[in-house]
Amino acid sequence: MELTDQPISVSKPTVAIAGAGGYVGRWFIHHFRHKYNIIALSRSKVKDNPYPEVTWKQVELYSISSTVEVLKGVDVAIYLVHSMNASTRLNQGSFEDTDLLLADNFSRAAHLNKVKQIIYLGGLLPKESGENLSRHLKSRLEVEQTLGARSAKLTAIRASIIVGPGGSSFDMIKNLVKNLPVLMCPQWTESLTQPISLRDTLDIIDTCVGNENVFGKAIEIGSPDVISYRKMLEVTAVELGKKRLVFSVPVFSLGLSKLWVGFFGEAPPQLVSPLVESLKHTLTVSEELKFREKPIAYLTYEESVREALSSDVALQLPSFHPLDKIKNTVRSIQRMPNPHGDSATWVAHRYNIWLPTFFKFWINGKMKESGEIVFYLLWSKKPMLQLTLIPDRSEENRQLFYISGGWLVQRFDHGWLEFRGVLDNRYIISAIHEFVPRLPWLIYVNTQAKIHLWVMNRFKKYLESRVN
């Protein structure tokens, strides 16, 4: 797979790639490492960098301060992040809320660093009027809206399945064909879409970098071929040289489809579930949003598969140091509707009043002038939980507290609690990050962790039902 680069200017733009270790990020680095000053972002520290012209930086995208640091001096940021994998031992929170929080962090950091443009690779959206989006597609749209909410100009590139060597979606199709001599296709495989080759996707992303014509725009990309998922299986079988019997069955539940695709497609459940839910939609390129910046000689699906299967490019990958993980860490992220448009400052203050009121026969709370908030069991003088407000990292619509003490806490120098408004303040996100409990793990998981979710759900109902 070869791409022809445009002439390199004397002054190269600095491009940061969040999700650089993933499929599209790795190939973008491979093809354009000489054209741009690339800063590749990863959660782990790089041990062996095969491309000395590329700068790898370690980042914790859950932390705004860490994200701000790595985006210094960046002109364009490419955002390829999807929170499919857990980053702590216990993660309480949906992938939608996690992706929303990460996108908000990135948008804030880009704004503070005066990044000119964010390029986000998301998903095609259904064209049917009034159709309910799957969780996966709704999340992609929320991320798109959040990344474009501040000063960095967003270019949202929406794609269907990207066909290339090492791509997770194409690998699922390939593995299904390899593993099953008979493919019973559920109804959703008749849905239509427009897959696109990795080569064409990279070419389009490159064309968009620093291109003011696409600032603030959503662009939908796909080859001109409109094809069903069932037909994709049939074409892939031909290209693999496999004789496969492919036929449709009307009774194939969504749950059974997930098990079928996950097992025979050799893909993890956290990837399969949201993707299969999205495949019920017709996902095609709309005429008004299609890519027009330059002519593209798009590969057909058949040509894309052939290229993906025959690729002999030796893609060099960095090796990473293992993360210094702290045992038994917890992340808990909850989204709460904010019908009254309250600020995060008001919600955080109200929570610290509401909690001891809700547990009036069990918990007492004290707010100190130093900014510390301390919760006690009524019969104890020893703090149960202590939170310290960090004023220089807080603002009207984001309040940050360090978890700084209490007998429920194992480490006082690690975790934090935050409240923030997102999506034009339609929602408040409450999140605990890197919390290390003192209770033995099995006891914590079955007591304190469940109580926390219950309490946050009650607080959510309080915010929804309260009268101004």
Side-chain angles (χ1 to χ4, degrees), residues 173 176-177 183 185 229-237 246:
I173 294 172
L176 285 171
V177 172
L183 290 110
C185 296
Y229 296 100
R230 175 182 169 179
K231 185 65 176 178
M232 291 166 66
L233 290 167
E234 293 172 343
V235 171
T236 304
V246 184

Side-chain angles (χ1 to χ4, degrees), residues 3 6 28 32 35-36 117 119-121 124 127 155-160 194-215 217-224 284-299:
L3 290 169
Q6 299 171 5
F28 187 91
F32 301 113
K35 182 172 182 178
Y36 304 111
Q117 180 191 25
I119 296 175
Y120 170 55
L121 183 60
L124 286 176
K127 305 303 176 290
T155 301
I157 300 175
R158 301 172 182 169
S160 177
Q194 288 175 255
I196 186 170
S197 70
L198 174 63
R199 186 196 72 176
D200 295 336
T201 302
L202 294 175
D203 191 9
I204 289 170
I205 294 174
D206 173 50
T207 303
C208 289
V209 171
N211 183 349
E212 295 185 4
N213 292 335
V214 297
F215 283 10
K217 290 185 178 180
I219 297 168
E220 297 188 341
I221 64 173
S223 77
T284 53
V285 175
S286 63
E287 183 64 28
E288 61 271 22
L289 296 179
K290 73 178 184 180
F291 180 74
R292 290 187 172 88
E293 286 306 298
K294 73 175 188 180
I296 300 283
Y298 290 99
L299 296 181

Side-chain angles (χ1 to χ4, degrees), residues 33-277:
R33 64 190 186 277
H34 299 296
K35 182 172 182 178
Y36 304 111
N37 295 318
I38 292 180
I39 298 175
L41 307 180
S42 65
R43 194 158 187 260
S44 300
K45 188 176 181 181
V46 166
K47 179 167 59 176
D48 178 34
N49 181 7
Y51 301 129
E53 61 272 37
V54 175
T55 301
W56 283 84
K57 290 186 178 181
Q58 187 177 13
V59 63
E60 176 52 87
L61 291 175
Y62 287 99
S63 165
I64 291 179
S65 59
S66 176
T67 311
V68 167
E69 185 63 29
V70 297
L71 291 185
K72 287 180 177 177
V74 168
D75 300 305
V76 176
I78 300 176
Y79 192 79
L80 306 171
V81 175
H82 304 292
S83 61
M84 296 297 187
N85 296 316
S87 57
T88 52
R89 184 173 182 184
L90 175 64
N91 276 260
Q92 294 177 312
S94 66
F95 74 85
E96 303 103 307
D97 296 349
T98 303
D99 275 337
L100 182 57
L101 183 144
L102 292 173
D104 193 61
N105 276 356
F106 201 80
S107 173
R108 288 170 182 264
H111 172 74
L112 291 171
N113 279 298
K114 296 181 171 57
V115 173
K116 298 181 181 69
Q117 180 191 25
I118 297 174
I119 296 175
Y120 170 55
L121 183 60
L124 286 176
L125 299 177
K127 305 303 176 290
E128 294 86 345
S129 177
E131 183 169 357
N132 292 325
L133 295 179
S134 70
R135 292 172 60 204
H136 180 63
L137 293 177
K138 183 180 178 182
S139 175
R140 293 288 185 95
L141 183 57
E142 287 183 342
V143 168
E144 187 177 302
Q145 294 167 342
T146 301
L147 290 172
R150 295 179 175 85
S151 61
K153 302 300 181 183
L154 179 69
T155 301
I157 300 175
R158 301 172 182 169
S160 177
I161 290 176
I162 299 173
V163 183
S168 56
S169 297
F170 174 65
D171 276 353
M172 280 194 290
I173 294 172
K174 182 179 67 177
N175 291 333
L176 285 171
V177 172
K178 281 185 173 181
N179 293 331
L180 292 170
V182 177
L183 290 110
M184 296 183 297
C185 296
Q187 190 61 40
W188 55 260
T189 61
E190 301 298 335
S191 298
L192 298 176
T193 191
Q194 288 175 255
I196 186 170
S197 70
L198 174 63
R199 186 196 72 176
D200 295 336
T201 302
L202 294 175
D203 191 9
I204 289 170
I205 294 174
D206 173 50
T207 303
C208 289
V209 171
N211 183 349
E212 295 185 4
N213 292 335
V214 297
F215 283 10
K217 290 185 178 180
I219 297 168
E220 297 188 341
I221 64 173
S223 77
D225 292 343
V226 179
I227 187 172
S228 70
Y229 296 100
R230 175 182 169 179
K231 185 65 176 178
M232 291 166 66
L233 290 167
E234 293 172 343
V235 171
T236 304
V238 171
E239 293 302 320
L240 283 169
K242 303 285 187 181
K243 290 185 178 181
R244 294 294 183 254
L245 177 61
V246 184
F247 61 94
S248 296
V249 291
V251 285
F252 217 120
S253 69
L254 195 62
L256 191 56
S257 294
K258 292 175 184 178
L259 291 174
W260 174 69
V261 174
F263 183 78
F264 293 105
E266 301 177 19
Q270 65 268 26
L271 176 63
V272 170
S273 182
L275 289 178
V276 170
E277 288 176 9

